[in-house]
Amino acid sequence: PQVFTVYATVPVGQYVPAGSYVDTITVTLTYSTGPTTFQFGVTASVVASCGISATNMNFGNYAGALTNSTSTVSVSCTSGTTYNVGLNAGVGSGATVTNRKMTSPASATLKYALYRNNTHTQNWGVTIGTDTASGTGNGSAQPLTVYGQMAAGQSGNPAIYTDTITATITH
């Protein structure tokens, strides 16, 4: 018997919904006695998946005035995959998703908030359906803007204040 190897590739850049894809290939061999055909199946599965990354937020030099800043969370999900992005309370002692705290090396704190909209009325937290950002993946990176705000009138010792927020994507 003669063996023929068939090589197949799936081109990059195809943004298709998660699911199973099936095709059937029919091969026809023609001999002097006539054609012979046979079929073989080809399958592939696309798994719903998401990836997430973010840029740092920098409020700059705080001098006691209302201060705003932004960050970008980038979400990449399989086409058609719905997702929710939550932002936790951070690592500041006693912080909550509605009362986040940056901490200095001497343990002093500055309060700030994170929002889903530029008017600073939609808190960004971790409760799906309440205070997370939602969307549907299209196979490409989708940017979500995080709007940060530090209230006026806070006093703090001169230092660098930091916090770490964990962004979680649920799909």
Side-chain angles (χ1 to χ4, degrees), residues 50-75:
C50 292
I52 190 169
S53 65
T55 61
N56 291 330
M57 180 177 288
N58 185 344
F59 285 104
N61 294 325
Y62 179 71
L66 179 74
T67 305
N68 294 314
S69 187
T70 61
S71 172
T72 301
V73 173
S74 294
V75 176

Side-chain angles (χ1 to χ4, degrees), residues 92 101-111 155-162:
K101 297 178 183 181
M102 289 182 277
T103 307
S104 75
S107 298
T109 61
L110 287 174
K111 296 177 183 178
S155 61
N157 299 327
I160 296 175
Y161 291 74
T162 62

Side-chain angles (χ1 to χ4, degrees), residues 84 116 126-134:
N84 281 279
R116 294 171 283 146
V126 294
T127 305
I128 293 173
T130 300
D131 61 3
T132 58
S134 62

Side-chain angles (χ1 to χ4, degrees), residues 14-169:
Q14 298 184 69
Y15 303 116
V16 297
S20 294
Y21 293 83
V22 179
D23 196 6
T24 301
I25 304 296
T26 301
V27 178
T28 303
L29 298 173
T30 304
Y31 297 98
S32 58
T33 58
T36 299
T37 62
F38 64 93
Q39 296 180 331
F40 65 93
V42 179
T43 62
S45 294
V46 175
V47 178
S49 65
C50 292
I52 190 169
S53 65
T55 61
N56 291 330
M57 180 177 288
N58 185 344
F59 285 104
N61 294 325
Y62 179 71
L66 179 74
T67 305
N68 294 314
S69 187
T70 61
S71 172
T72 301
V73 173
S74 294
V75 176
S76 297
C77 289
T78 308
S79 184
T81 301
T82 58
Y83 62 83
N84 281 279
V85 175
L87 301 179
N88 77 346
V91 296
S93 179
T96 66
V97 295
T98 56
N99 187 23
R100 292 177 168 96
K101 297 178 183 181
M102 289 182 277
T103 307
S104 75
S107 298
T109 61
L110 287 174
K111 296 177 183 178
Y112 71 102
L114 299 178
Y115 299 96
R116 294 171 283 146
N117 63 339
N118 64 358
T119 57
H120 305 106
T121 59
Q122 296 176 347
N123 183 63
W124 201 327
V126 294
T127 305
I128 293 173
T130 300
D131 61 3
T132 58
S134 62
T136 302
N138 63 10
S140 297
Q142 295 174 290
L144 303 173
T145 303
V146 181
Y147 299 92
Q149 187 172 74
M150 291 177 61
Q154 298 184 70
S155 61
N157 299 327
I160 296 175
Y161 291 74
T162 62
D163 194 13
T164 301
I165 297 294
T166 300
T168 302
I169 188 163

